Amino acid sequence: MTDLGQKARTAARQLALVPGPAKDAALRGAAAALRAQAESIKAANAKDMAAGEAKGLTKALLDRLLLNDVRIEGMAAGLEVVAELPDPVGRVLAEWDRPNGLRIQRVAVPLGVIGIIYESRPNVTADAAALCLKSGNAAILRGGSESYHSSQAIMAALRAGIEAVGLPQDAVQMVPTTDRAAVGEMLTMTDYIDVIVPRGGKSLVERVARESRIPLFQHLEGICHTYVDGAADSDMARKLVLNAKMRRTGICGATETLLVDAQAQALLPVLVRDLLEAGCEVRGDAATQAVDPRVVPATDEDWRTEYLDAIISVKVVDGVQAAVDHINANGSHHTEAIVTEDPAAAETFLNGCDSAIVCWNASTQFADGGEFGMGAEIGISTGRMHARGPVGVEQLCTFKYKVLGSGQTRPG
Amino acid sequence: MTDLGQKARTAARQLALVPGPAKDAALRGAAAALRAQAESIKAANAKDMAAGEAKGLTKALLDRLLLNDVRIEGMAAGLEVVAELPDPVGRVLAEWDRPNGLRIQRVAVPLGVIGIIYESRPNVTADAAALCLKSGNAAILRGGSESYHSSQAIMAALRAGIEAVGLPQDAVQMVPTTDRAAVGEMLTMTDYIDVIVPRGGKSLVERVARESRIPLFQHLEGICHTYVDGAADSDMARKLVLNAKMRRTGICGATETLLVDAQAQALLPVLVRDLLEAGCEVRGDAATQAVDPRVVPATDEDWRTEYLDAIISVKVVDGVQAAVDHINANGSHHTEAIVTEDPAAAETFLNGCDSAIVCWNASTQFADGGEFGMGAEIGISTGRMHARGPVGVEQLCTFKYKVLGSGQTRPG
């Protein structure tokens, strides 16, 4: 592992100085290599699929694991999309002059070496490597054991493509073992890894958070709320609630709890009926149970549960401040939305909710780097340090200060 | 400690919403209270001084500990300086529109609760509390045992001043014990503290880095370099080297190693003589030893030592890339300077040095929040995450995204 770390650090020093067009050529080269090596990638994937079936993985997990021509093309196209993004490195984030004539510039530079620990989806290998490369970072990837052969084959293609254009192939490396202890070792390599990105279920993220000596981009869960205010437009409220919950129930930006202002209680029956008719289980407080016999009683646990499924908890609250208090006490600091025509209520909500993303008259499902215009994201951070919300290529950078003088000495 | 944490979290939620002028009034109120309570602060300090003398603290430590009218006025004036800074909270850091009509704003918000662990200087109590309050953060301070009574008395004044203008006095709290175990507990309070700032010597910072489960603004040491390039102006080089090393030898931005380009070796004798004549011990490589009999041989350890004293290590290197390589291998990612008239050499140096601050024709002693125009700093971060370089009130903020819509749902 130390050898891996040293190679990554060396590659990172080189990559930090590589101009944008060369990185983009490497990304396109990697895309071409993925296409050229599709047969060997599918052969490797077949091994993982056979092992997965023998192990009795669920159909859903096997589907996540599967690579076919369409999915390989998807990965390759994804690399080309990242190549099209503007270079995040070297941007002058701020500059100013001091009275003594010094010019000070804050300039974006890569973070260094990024460790990515993920589970079964093999496509993360290509997606994460691309974002790291674009932002001038070296990547050390540690995929799940189920997708080991697939990820290795993808990695071989990426490295071949990168090397073909003259960049260091150690820009992306994969931990060459599925031994769980390797993760523990990775999490203590403070000299060689600058940030860890865990991508996977709650237990993986919790383990990484517990053991890591390295800073994290962390996303534990998305317990997202939509609050329908007394001053909401009723048609808009119906449309937004349905979309926020039901468009995709398995993504982290899906609403898990609906809060309805007591002043909007007239809307409650139709909001609940819409959800029930869309196939959503509704777990409600007493007021919500009263509007429809199909509503199931919500327990205290429901207010703190990320269902990732067609289930919603519904509660009547006494105004916007009560909604904010409920969210700050029970939520996960991810994404919350208010539906209202009242700018004052919106302001209270947007400022009061201590969450990475706060929406006014928009669906919580917009919590996504692509929807934000960032091109692609490596995850959504619910932490407060460095990156918060979608983590795209700009968030994979840090900065340095350049102090430009003409011989100034500091007096005194 | 949990009680302290809960109070801090509650205060932080309130403070995050307080407008700038109210925070500034609290800072001025705290300054007034410090002046009004000067007698009780001095009485508390007398207890610490007596205990320190009994304990046999060095003169230097006792001087750090001492509070008199001038120093109390200095603390009060410092609070007023912070009050004059622009409010860092609520700044729109970026905003853009999406094709679907969504407007996205990235808005600065406080980090939350900041834990500050420091050693003997009691004035840190006021300085750190002021920066936290200005940036809308609650602070939990844990001072050294030597300054315990002094810090308590300062804290009492600050809290009285804050409460007098109607803000929550728990905006600043002090750990009410000098028990070392309290630090350990503080470092695991992930629910209540968002970031830890260790301020003190290397052993304190290392302990905090080792034990903390909470992200840090960390500054281990400042092994800063000045590199005199072959294309340097010789007068400028002499002036800058002397200032970078000798203006103040005890600050983290002081140059500890001088690298001289082999092409500039004609300058070496005068650079060395200037330093020796200014009272600086010079530890050199073979080439440096050859220019003056007073030069002491440098050991490998010297290249990795922060002297914080009138000692410098000097080495001849073969061009700018060799200087960069030496710095990246031996430095502490703090501050480095190049002296050159050659823009290409400067570019290689500024981009190649993996340090928070890189200077061209300017003294490394400018590594300071005040000199950068930030007003005041809580420290200089050599870490890569979130804040790098001087940590002022803007760096004590994070951000949230506001997504402003008119009923948009996410398609697909």
Side-chain angles (χ1 to χ4, degrees):
Chain A
M1 291 295 286
T2 303
D3 177 56
L4 218 67
Q6 282 167 339
K7 285 180 180 166
R9 181 62 74 204
T10 302
R13 289 259 154 75
Q14 294 174 260
L15 275 180
L17 303 173
V18 169
K23 291 184 287 190
D24 298 341
L27 288 164
R28 293 195 185 94
L34 276 181
R35 290 186 182 109
Q37 299 183 23
E39 291 310 315
S40 63
I41 292 170
K42 284 188 287 182
N45 184 246
K47 277 197 223 176
D48 286 334
M49 290 294 289
E53 278 163 25
K55 237 172 122 180
L57 292 188
T58 63
K59 269 202 165 170
L61 281 176
L62 286 172
D63 181 61
R64 280 192 187 184
L65 193 53
L66 178 70
L67 290 176
N68 53 29
D69 286 327
V70 172
R71 290 187 177 180
I72 292 169
E73 174 53 32
M75 282 194 284
L79 293 177
E80 289 166 339
V81 167
V82 173
E84 292 298 317
L85 296 174
D87 188 2
V89 175
R91 287 170 299 140
V92 177
L93 304 172
E95 60 183 321
W96 62 94
D97 293 314
R98 299 289 302 151
N100 58 9
L102 287 179
R103 158 146 294 206
I104 299 182
Q105 294 181 322
R106 188 189 290 141
V107 181
V109 299
L111 275 169
V113 179
I114 298 181
I116 295 145
I117 300 173
Y118 57 105
E119 291 182 323
S120 56
R121 288 178 198 271
N123 62 306
V124 172
T125 313
D127 299 353
L131 292 171
C132 291
L133 182 58
K134 179 77 186 191
S135 48
N137 296 290
I140 297 178
L141 289 93
R142 206 287 186 180
S145 54
E146 291 86 356
S147 59
Y148 184 69
H149 297 99
S150 313
S151 296
Q152 287 280 10
I154 293 167
M155 182 59 66
L158 298 177
R159 287 167 61 97
I162 291 167
E163 204 180 20
V165 301
L167 293 196
Q169 62 170 4
D170 290 331
V172 295
Q173 295 181 93
M174 200 161 153
V175 176
T177 165
T178 57
D179 182 3
R180 268 175 69 93
V183 172
E185 203 180 334
M186 204 170 153
L187 297 176
T188 59
M189 289 169 61
T190 49
D191 285 344
Y192 300 116
I193 303 182
D194 297 296
V195 59
I196 292 278
V197 183
R199 280 194 52 165
K202 197 171 167 180
S203 71
L204 171 76
V205 179
E206 283 179 343
R207 181 195 167 192
V208 168
R210 202 169 49 239
E211 294 186 19
S212 185
R213 304 305 307 146
I214 300 169
L216 300 184
F217 288 143
Q218 186 178 344
H219 164 192
L220 271 170
E221 32 182 7
I223 304 176
C224 303
H225 299 74
T226 295
Y227 165 66
V228 176
D229 184 54
D233 174 279
S234 53
D235 287 343
M236 190 193 288
R238 291 178 66 178
K239 207 175 59 158
L240 285 177
V241 168
L242 212 51
N243 184 266
K245 177 69 237 181
M246 296 301 289
R247 171 186 162 272
R248 297 271 176 90
T249 56
I251 67 172
C252 60
T255 284
E256 305 291 16
T257 298
L258 169 64
L259 300 173
V260 178
D261 188 354
Q263 301 293 317
Q265 227 166 321
L267 256 175
L268 190 58
V270 67
L271 292 173
V272 167
R273 200 187 59 211
D274 286 348
L275 287 161
L276 288 165
E277 287 177 1
C280 186
E281 178 181 331
V282 177
R283 302 185 184 175
D285 64 353
T288 310
Q289 292 167 50
V291 306
D292 196 302
R294 292 168 291 178
V295 174
V296 179
T299 66
D300 276 355
E301 203 43 36
D302 278 302
W303 312 120
R304 286 184 294 272
T305 299
E306 182 185 33
Y307 302 114
L308 295 173
D309 204 346
I311 307 171
I312 195 168
S313 53
V314 182
K315 184 176 192 164
V316 174
V317 293
D318 196 13
V320 63
Q321 188 57 52
V324 168
D325 292 343
H326 175 95
I327 290 167
N328 287 341
N330 296 281
S332 63
H333 311 294
H334 195 292
T335 299
E336 332 296 345
I338 181 173
V339 191
T340 189
E341 298 300 305
D342 174 7
E347 197 188 335
T348 299
F349 186 89
L350 299 178
N351 292 336
C353 287
D354 182 18
S355 297
I357 304 173
V358 285
C359 308
W360 178 14
N361 291 341
S363 170
T364 57
Q365 299 237 355
F366 283 113
D368 174 90
E371 292 294 327
F372 272 50
M374 295 176 177
E377 67 178 32
I378 206 161
I380 291 187
S381 173
T382 54
R384 310 177 71 82
M385 297 285 285
H386 191 91
R388 202 178 187 204
V391 180
V393 292
E394 291 188 7
Q395 287 72 35
L396 294 178
C397 292
T398 180
F399 56 81
K400 61 166 50 166
Y401 289 99
K402 294 185 179 177
V403 178
L404 312 177
S406 50
Q408 284 86 345
T409 54
R410 185 170 171 190
Chain B
M1 291 293 287
T2 302
D3 177 55
L4 219 68
Q6 281 166 341
K7 284 180 180 167
R9 181 62 73 202
T10 302
R13 289 259 154 75
Q14 295 174 261
L15 274 181
L17 303 173
V18 169
K23 291 184 288 190
D24 297 342
L27 288 165
R28 293 196 186 93
L34 277 181
R35 291 186 181 108
Q37 298 183 23
E39 291 311 315
S40 63
I41 293 170
K42 284 188 288 182
N45 184 246
K47 277 197 221 174
D48 286 333
M49 291 294 288
E53 278 163 25
K55 237 172 122 180
L57 291 188
T58 63
K59 269 202 165 168
L61 280 176
L62 286 172
D63 181 63
R64 280 192 188 183
L65 193 53
L66 178 71
L67 290 176
N68 52 30
D69 286 328
V70 172
R71 290 187 178 181
I72 291 169
E73 173 55 31
M75 281 194 286
L79 294 176
E80 290 167 338
V81 167
V82 173
E84 291 298 317
L85 296 174
D87 188 2
V89 175
R91 286 170 301 139
V92 177
L93 304 172
E95 62 182 320
W96 62 94
D97 294 313
R98 298 290 302 152
N100 58 9
L102 288 179
R103 160 146 291 207
I104 299 182
Q105 294 182 322
R106 188 189 290 141
V107 181
V109 299
L111 275 169
V113 178
I114 299 180
I116 295 145
I117 300 173
Y118 57 105
E119 292 181 323
S120 55
R121 288 179 197 272
N123 62 306
V124 172
T125 312
D127 298 353
L131 291 170
C132 291
L133 181 59
K134 178 78 186 190
S135 48
N137 296 289
I140 297 178
L141 289 93
R142 206 286 186 181
S145 54
E146 291 86 356
S147 58
Y148 184 69
H149 296 99
S150 313
S151 296
Q152 287 280 10
I154 293 168
M155 181 60 65
L158 297 177
R159 286 166 62 97
I162 290 167
E163 203 179 20
V165 301
L167 293 195
Q169 61 170 4
D170 289 332
V172 295
Q173 297 181 90
M174 200 160 152
V175 176
T177 163
T178 58
D179 183 3
R180 266 175 72 91
V183 172
E185 203 181 334
M186 205 171 152
L187 296 176
T188 59
M189 289 169 59
T190 50
D191 285 345
Y192 299 115
I193 304 182
D194 297 296
V195 58
I196 292 278
V197 183
R199 280 192 54 165
K202 198 172 166 178
S203 71
L204 171 76
V205 178
E206 281 179 345
R207 180 194 168 193
V208 168
R210 203 169 48 240
E211 293 186 19
S212 185
R213 304 305 307 146
I214 301 169
L216 301 184
F217 288 142
Q218 185 178 345
H219 164 193
L220 272 169
E221 33 183 8
I223 304 175
C224 303
H225 299 75
T226 295
Y227 164 66
V228 175
D229 185 56
D233 175 278
S234 53
D235 288 343
M236 189 192 290
R238 290 178 66 178
K239 206 176 59 159
L240 285 177
V241 167
L242 212 52
N243 184 267
K245 176 69 238 180
M246 295 301 289
R247 172 187 162 269
R248 297 269 176 91
T249 57
I251 68 172
C252 60
T255 285
E256 305 291 16
T257 298
L258 168 64
L259 301 172
V260 178
D261 189 355
Q263 301 292 316
Q265 227 167 319
L267 256 175
L268 189 58
V270 67
L271 293 172
V272 167
R273 200 187 60 212
D274 287 348
L275 287 161
L276 288 164
E277 287 177 0
C280 186
E281 177 181 332
V282 177
R283 302 185 184 175
D285 65 353
T288 309
Q289 291 167 50
V291 306
D292 196 301
R294 291 168 293 178
V295 174
V296 179
T299 66
D300 277 354
E301 204 42 38
D302 278 302
W303 312 121
R304 288 183 292 274
T305 299
E306 183 185 32
Y307 303 114
L308 295 173
D309 204 347
I311 307 171
I312 194 168
S313 54
V314 183
K315 184 176 194 165
V316 173
V317 293
D318 197 11
V320 64
Q321 188 58 51
V324 168
D325 293 342
H326 175 94
I327 290 167
N328 287 341
N330 297 282
S332 64
H333 312 292
H334 194 293
T335 299
E336 331 297 344
I338 181 173
V339 190
T340 188
E341 298 299 305
D342 173 6
E347 197 188 334
T348 298
F349 186 89
L350 299 178
N351 292 335
C353 286
D354 182 19
S355 297
I357 304 172
V358 285
C359 308
W360 179 13
N361 291 342
S363 171
T364 57
Q365 299 235 354
F366 284 113
D368 174 89
E371 291 295 326
F372 273 49
M374 295 176 177
E377 67 179 31
I378 205 161
I380 291 187
S381 172
T382 54
R384 311 176 72 80
M385 298 286 286
H386 191 91
R388 202 178 186 204
V391 180
V393 291
E394 291 188 7
Q395 287 73 35
L396 294 178
C397 292
T398 181
F399 56 80
K400 63 167 48 165
Y401 288 100
K402 294 186 180 178
V403 178
L404 312 177
S406 50
Q408 284 87 345
T409 53
R410 185 169 171 190

